[in-house]
């Protein structure tokens, strides 16, 4: 028997379609001879001995009134085996006078087999899509490719030697129900694969999708600006065609073992940090947030507590955030007094006074490079962004 199995839903579709061709009741039996589709609901579930004959003898079986009286669950008619790749997967039966039905039988059987073949192809495509998604979910979680994963990819025609970079697409939660959200995510999948760019895509959850994009351009070079432009364009397309609001983050590009998993982790952290620092934006890039992304892993640990201790002393006194804004501007302007004063619209003497006050409250010498670095890192770890 074929690996493909005829189900009741498809059987009923075949009945509905073929009964438009012939003015006769149509039954569809599965590979065990049981009626799973019929124009007569009363016959569903019955064992059809005529179908069993057609399956066992692998031929068309005509049943007249005399034969029908000796068979269980059988009425006069004609029973034709349904084949896929030459193998019988079921039987289609037409009720009536066999002599009159013979001229329609082959046309009805051909229609049913075309529907079976189409359903099988759709089933194979869906199965292939699921296998690709499962492969992607494995790739973003493992630091070393096993022989089994490599064989899996080879069977799917996926070249794991092709360099890829991970992007995370996050859907704003709480907007739609589960079914609607899944439908939107599937629509996003279509956008991400059209036009064909060899993207590998998987839905991680109802709010997250991961895209493994080919990393190199047509000249086999890493082009970060090119990726930015494509992501901006993709975000515009998503906004135009979908109801959901989405955010996209692009991770770092790595080579060597575990490169995809590492890229995915940087994309995830880039998303987290980007939403904290720039909630109004919809695109975040690792290259724009390298330091805060790298420092994010320290959160919750004793190292982070030690790093932010000087800033905590400053915050305890700086109730309105004036000194912290001054410090942030000073770093943003590469610790240049003139540029910082202009940016803050204050006199240089005022800036010097504030910096001295910051040094006094934190216990750090802002003229010392290590102390400056400590304060800069503390600002990057600060959850209360000003």
């Amino acid at each position: 028997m074929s690996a493909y199995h005829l189900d009741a839903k498809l059987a009923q579709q075949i009945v509905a379609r073929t009964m438009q061709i012939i003015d006769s009741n149509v039954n569809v039996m599965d590979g065990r001879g049981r009626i799973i589709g019929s124009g007569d609901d009363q016959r569903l579930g019955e064992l059809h001995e005529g179908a069993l004959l057609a399956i066992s003898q692998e031929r068309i079986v005509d049943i007249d009134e005399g034969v029908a009286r000796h068979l269980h669950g059988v009425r006069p008619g004609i029973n034709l085996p349904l084949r896929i790749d030459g193998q019988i997967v079921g039987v289609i039966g037409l009720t009536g006078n066999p002599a009159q039905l013979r001229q329609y039988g082959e046309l009805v059987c051909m229609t049913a087999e075309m529907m079976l073949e189409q359903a099988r192809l759709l089933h194979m495509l869906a199965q292939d899509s699921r296998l690709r998604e499962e492969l992607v979910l494995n790739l973003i979680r493992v630091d070393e490719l096993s022989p089994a994963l490599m064989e899996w990819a080879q069977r799917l025609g996926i070249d794991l030697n092709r360099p890829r970079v991970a992007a995370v697409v996050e859907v704003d939660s709480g907007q739609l129900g589960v079914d609607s959200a899944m439908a939107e995510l599937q629509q996003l999948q279509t956008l991400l694969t059209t036009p064909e760019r060899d993207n590998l895509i998987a839905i991680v959850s109802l709010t997250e999708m991961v895209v493994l994009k080919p990393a190199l351009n047509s000249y086999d070079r890493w082009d970060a600006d090119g990726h930015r432009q494509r992501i901006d364009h993709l975000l515009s397309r998503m906004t135009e065609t979908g109801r959901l609001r989405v955010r996209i983050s692009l991770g770092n590009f790595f080579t060597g073992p575990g490169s995809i998993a590492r890229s995915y982790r940087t994309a995830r952290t880039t998303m987290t940090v980007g939403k904290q620092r720039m909630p109004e934006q919809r695109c975040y890039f690792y290259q724009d947030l390298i330091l805060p992304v790298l420092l994010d892993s320290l959160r919750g640990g004793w190292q982070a507590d030690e790093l932010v201790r000087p800033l905590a002393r400053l915050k305890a006194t700086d109730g309105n955030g004036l000194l912290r804004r001054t410090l942030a501007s000073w770093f943003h302007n590469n610790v240049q007094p003139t540029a910082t004063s202009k940016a803050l619209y204050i006199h240089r003497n005022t800036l010097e006074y504030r910096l001295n006050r910051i040094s006094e409250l934190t216990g750090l010498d802002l003229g010392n490079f290590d102390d400056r670095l400590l304060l800069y890192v503390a600002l990057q770890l600060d959850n209360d962004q000003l």
Side-chain angles (χ1 to χ4, degrees):
M1 297 292 286
S2 171
Y4 182 78
H5 300 286
L6 178 60
D7 62 33
K9 182 179 179 181
L10 178 57
Q12 202 60 46
Q13 290 174 354
I14 290 174
V15 168
R17 178 69 183 90
T18 54
M19 286 184 69
Q20 295 175 359
I21 299 173
I22 183 171
D23 185 20
S24 172
N25 182 56
V26 174
N27 298 316
V28 174
M29 284 67 75
D30 63 15
R32 296 174 298 176
R34 195 164 298 277
I35 299 176
I36 59 173
S38 177
D40 180 359
D41 292 344
Q42 300 298 319
R43 303 199 66 185
L44 292 173
E46 290 183 2
L47 185 66
H48 195 291
E49 292 188 358
L52 290 175
L53 283 173
I55 293 170
S56 62
Q57 298 178 14
E58 298 186 3
R59 66 178 179 85
I60 299 173
V61 174
D62 292 342
I63 298 175
D64 57 22
E65 291 281 359
V67 175
R69 284 194 293 269
H70 295 89
L71 296 176
H72 174 73
V74 175
R75 297 176 185 174
I78 183 172
N79 296 279
L80 305 97
L82 295 173
R83 290 180 169 87
I84 290 184
D85 293 337
Q87 294 186 327
I88 297 175
V89 296
V91 175
I92 186 164
L94 313 180
T95 304
N97 187 325
Q100 296 175 350
L101 293 173
R102 173 70 74 162
Q103 59 180 318
Y104 301 105
E106 291 187 6
L107 175 60
V108 170
C109 186
M110 184 186 304
T111 301
E113 288 179 345
M114 287 175 62
M115 293 178 69
L116 276 171
E117 183 62 29
Q118 184 181 35
R120 185 183 70 149
L121 290 174
L122 291 174
H123 174 77
M124 291 172 62
L125 287 172
Q127 188 177 48
D128 180 75
S129 178
R130 287 194 296 271
L131 288 173
R132 292 171 74 89
E133 277 202 76
E134 284 298 321
L135 176 65
V136 171
L137 293 175
N138 277 274
L139 291 175
I140 64 176
R141 291 167 182 160
V142 299
D143 291 320
E144 191 169 335
L145 298 179
S146 65
L149 267 183
M150 296 177 69
E151 182 180 357
W152 186 352
Q154 188 175 16
R155 288 183 179 181
L156 292 171
I158 296 172
D159 182 7
L160 293 183
N161 292 317
R162 184 174 190 183
R164 294 183 179 274
V165 61
V168 168
V169 180
E170 187 178 278
V171 177
D172 288 352
S173 60
Q175 297 180 11
L176 298 173
V178 172
D179 291 341
S180 297
M182 283 301 296
E184 287 285 333
L185 285 174
Q186 288 164 358
Q187 184 181 2
L188 293 185
Q189 273 188 304
T190 301
L191 282 173
L192 289 163
T193 53
T194 308
E196 173 59 45
R197 296 193 183 277
D198 195 24
N199 290 330
L200 300 178
I201 305 166
I203 295 175
V204 180
S205 70
L206 282 176
T207 59
E208 182 185 332
M209 181 185 296
V210 60
V211 184
L212 303 183
K213 297 160 51 66
L216 307 182
N217 62 18
S218 57
Y219 301 101
D220 285 334
R221 297 173 183 168
W222 165 250
D223 180 9
D225 289 337
H227 282 284
R228 287 175 186 266
Q229 292 171 8
R230 282 193 290 274
I231 286 178
D232 286 339
H233 178 63
L234 176 63
L235 190 61
S236 297
R237 291 175 66 202
M238 288 179 175
T239 303
E240 291 170 1
T241 59
R243 289 175 290 167
L244 294 180
R245 286 171 58 79
V246 299
R247 300 175 191 268
I248 304 176
S249 64
L250 185 70
N252 197 18
F253 168 52
F254 299 96
T255 57
S259 58
I260 289 178
R262 292 171 65 192
S263 183
Y264 172 68
R265 287 194 286 267
T266 59
R268 284 269 296 171
T269 308
T270 298
M271 178 69 76
T272 301
V273 172
K275 288 194 298 182
Q276 289 174 348
R277 291 171 168 267
M278 298 166 285
E280 73 286 351
Q281 291 190 23
R282 313 305 293 182
C283 291
Y284 310 112
F285 300 92
Y286 170 79
Q287 298 300 327
D288 298 336
L289 298 163
I290 294 177
L291 184 57
V293 167
L294 295 178
L295 291 173
D296 191 73
S297 62
L298 296 176
R299 293 185 187 279
W302 67 268
Q303 297 97 330
D305 292 340
E306 287 299 305
L307 286 169
V308 300
R309 191 183 300 277
L311 188 63
R313 291 196 292 266
L314 176 62
K315 291 170 71 173
T317 304
D318 184 32
N320 61 5
L322 177 64
L323 295 179
R324 278 175 290 156
R325 283 193 294 273
T326 300
L327 184 62
S329 180
W330 186 56
F331 281 129
H332 181 73
N333 288 282
N334 298 313
V335 301
Q336 297 297 316
T338 301
T340 306
S341 299
K342 287 182 178 179
L344 294 173
Y345 302 101
I346 59 175
H347 194 274
R348 282 192 58 172
N349 290 341
T350 303
L351 173 64
E352 185 176 354
Y353 169 78
R354 291 181 184 177
L355 293 176
N356 288 335
R357 182 63 176 154
I358 291 169
S359 181
E360 177 185 339
L361 292 171
T362 60
L364 297 174
D365 179 5
L366 296 186
N368 180 278
F369 179 80
D370 284 353
D371 284 1
R372 283 183 184 178
L373 179 59
L374 184 58
L375 261 184
Y376 182 73
V377 169
L379 279 175
Q380 300 302 311
L381 287 169
D382 185 23
N383 288 319
D384 299 327
Q385 296 296 319
L386 294 171

